[in-house]
């Protein structure tokens, strides 16, 4: 009704394409709503009230917008139109968010997401998008990214170019914010955005040509990948090293495993098909007491600072996997994945492994508890093969920055193949 007069600003909020035209259009809709006779079509009244609210919101009239959106919500609920209820809850969430009332916005977004997941799966991507942008504005960047990336996957499946573009813009923005938050020194927005896009495009290119899901697909795809991967991994500062028998103190590993289980259960979020959660005191204590920087340096020859970030990762269900991808630059020049738990059936024919691609082919690392693997996640395509029956894997991943080396930039690295 007003879509052609509303667009997104750089902050991803709705604004008029033409302020005067939108003002006139909103006034006409409001007049039509007010002129409806008593007992008129409730559906028409709801649509007019909702679009009046959306238009007023885009014009910056937040309080007035909420009045009409609440009217639309009441009408949707009275008529039993659950789909309209969800859509209007998202609009009300926006109205509160734009007005700076984050707590109220959060309530409406989460109600809408719950309703979409339970009753209208075709609206889940819309609810994820709105909640993701809200979380991003509140500084909850990791959950925001998880919601937005899930929305992007759903919209890619739908194949709607406009929806995909809208969500991709939100994903780009949250990736940029995460890159800034993880950097020790300020980076230009253009440079950070370019780095995020470079990593994402490489990941898309890899996943369009191969997968960890079946070895047959991998074998078929590798000849076409070989030269590109060779050019990419030639820039690695760390080649994958599977480290066994590190003699890490058992009590520290147990403490970290317990912390991971609790964090994943209470604050875990789904990202790229796996569960993630922020590390806490136990992981920080482990990194300091065992001197993880020295572990990386001894195994790779690269001098690094102590880890500047970390995350718990879990694969908990049969069939869960992580397809080949590159990590974002902000995670560091070296990554260390430490296995905290790997439950498996004794009689299983195959087990899930951490996997890498390099110029020579495909390498699997079956990590037992206490084992770790060190690699350059920004330049080494990596993933995890699917879990079998009865498998459960919990990992800790740490990122390290190299000492006394100029930071690498996208201009120094191979462009994504066409």
């Amino acid at each position: 009704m007003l879509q052609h007069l509303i667009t997104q600003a750089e902050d991803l909020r709705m604004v008029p394409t033409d302020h005067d035209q939108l003002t006139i259009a909103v006034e006409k809709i409001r007049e039509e709503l007010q002129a409806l006779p008593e007992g008129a079509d409730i559906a028409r009244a709801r649509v007019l009230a909702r679009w009046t609210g959306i238009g007023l919101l885009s014009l910056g009239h937040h309080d007035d917008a909420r009045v009409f959106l609440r009217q639309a919500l009441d009408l949707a609920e009275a008529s039993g139109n659950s789909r309209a209820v969800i859509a209007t809850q998202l609009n009300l969430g926006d109205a509160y968010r734009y007005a700076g009332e984050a707590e109220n916005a959060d309530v409406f977004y989460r109600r809408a997401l719950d309703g979409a997941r339970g009753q209208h799966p075709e609206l889940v991507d819309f609810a994820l998008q709105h909640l993701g942008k809200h979380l991003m504005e509140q500084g909850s960047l990791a959950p925001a990214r998880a919601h937005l990336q899930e929305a992007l996957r759903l919209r890619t499946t739908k194949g709607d170019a406009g929806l995909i573009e809208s969500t991709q813009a939100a994903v780009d923005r949250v990736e940029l914010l995460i890159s800034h938050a993880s950097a020790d020194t300020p980076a230009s927005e253009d440079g950070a955005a370019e780095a995020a896009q470079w990593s994402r495009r490489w990941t898309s290119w890899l996943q369009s040509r191969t997968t960890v899901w079946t070895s047959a697909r991998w074998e078929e795809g590798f000849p076409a990948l070989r030269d590109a991967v060779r050019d990419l991994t030639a820039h690695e500062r760390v080649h994958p090293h599977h480290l066994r028998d590190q003699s890490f103190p058992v009590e520290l590993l147990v403490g970290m495993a317990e912390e991971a289980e609790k964090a994943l259960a209470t604050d875990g979020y789904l990202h790229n098909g796996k569960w993630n959660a922020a590390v806490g005191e136990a992981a920080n204590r482990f990194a300091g007491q065992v001197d993880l920087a020295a572990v990386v340096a001894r195994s790779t020859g690269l001098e690094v600072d102590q880890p500047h970030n970390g995350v718990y990762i879990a694969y908990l269900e049969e069939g869960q996997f992580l397809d080949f991808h590159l990590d974002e630059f902000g995670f560091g020049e070296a990554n260390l994945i430490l296995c905290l738990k790997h439950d498996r059936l004794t009689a299983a024919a195959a087990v899930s492994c951490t996997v890498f691609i390099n110029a020579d082919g495909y390498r699997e690392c079956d990590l037992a508890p206490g084992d770790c693997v060190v690699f350059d996640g920004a330049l080494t395509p990596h993933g995890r093969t699917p879990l079998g029956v009865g498998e459960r894997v919990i990992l800790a991943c740490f990122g390290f920055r190299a000492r006394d080396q100029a930071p690498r930039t996208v201009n120094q690295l191979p462009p994504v193949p066409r």
Side-chain angles (χ1 to χ4, degrees), residues 132 213 322 334 363:
W213 184 256
L322 178 60
R363 175 178 179 181

Side-chain angles (χ1 to χ4, degrees), residues 46-162:
R46 174 185 57 76
V47 169
L48 293 173
R50 178 171 177 249
W51 277 104
T52 299
I54 293 172
L56 289 169
L57 179 58
S58 303
L59 291 166
H61 306 310
H62 306 143
D63 292 340
D64 290 342
R66 286 203 297 267
V67 171
F68 285 94
L69 290 170
R70 282 195 173 277
Q71 179 183 352
L73 182 58
D74 290 342
L75 292 169
E77 290 173 340
S79 65
N81 188 334
S82 57
R83 197 177 193 281
V85 167
I86 293 167
T88 311
Q89 284 172 337
L90 293 175
N91 299 139
L92 265 169
D94 285 349
Y96 280 108
R97 174 163 63 96
Y98 288 18
E101 298 182 36
E103 290 185 10
N104 287 329
D106 196 84
V107 169
F108 279 104
Y109 288 139
R110 293 188 187 278
R111 284 179 186 170
L113 181 56
D114 289 344
R117 290 198 190 280
Q119 297 176 279
H120 292 280
E122 74 279 7
L123 296 181
V124 169
D125 57 313
F126 291 93
L128 288 166
Q129 168 103 342
H130 284 256
L131 179 55
K133 290 197 288 188
H134 162 67
L135 292 169
M136 178 167 54
E137 289 188 5
Q138 295 305 304
S140 300
L141 300 182
R145 177 170 60 181
H147 283 76
L148 292 168
Q149 288 182 330
E150 185 181 351
L152 183 60
R153 288 195 295 274
L154 292 172
R155 290 186 163 183
T156 300
T157 301
K158 282 184 175 181
D160 187 311

Side-chain angles (χ1 to χ4, degrees), residues 340-385:
L340 301 177
K341 284 192 173 185
H342 191 167
D343 302 327
R344 61 183 86 180
L345 297 179
T346 307
V351 296
S352 173
C353 296
T354 300
V355 291
F356 303 92
I357 301 175
N358 58 35
D360 299 323
Y362 172 90
R363 175 178 179 181
E364 292 187 347
C365 290
D366 178 8
L367 300 177
D371 281 2
C372 50
V373 59
V374 182
F375 62 104
D376 187 336
L379 294 178
T380 311
H382 59 285
R384 171 165 283 275
T385 56

Side-chain angles (χ1 to χ4, degrees), residues 256-285:
M256 195 164 26
E258 291 174 350
E259 178 179 81
E261 293 265 23
K262 182 177 179 181
L264 289 160
T266 57
D267 299 311
Y269 56 94
L270 199 59
H271 174 52
N272 284 348
K274 66 188 187 306
W275 289 99
N276 284 28
V279 298
E281 182 181 344
N284 294 330
R285 182 168 58 251

Side-chain angles (χ1 to χ4, degrees), residues 183-203:
D184 286 337
T185 55
S188 74
E189 289 200 5
D190 288 345
E194 185 182 8
Q197 290 176 6
W198 181 88
S199 301
R200 186 172 57 253
R201 288 171 182 163
W202 260 104
T203 293

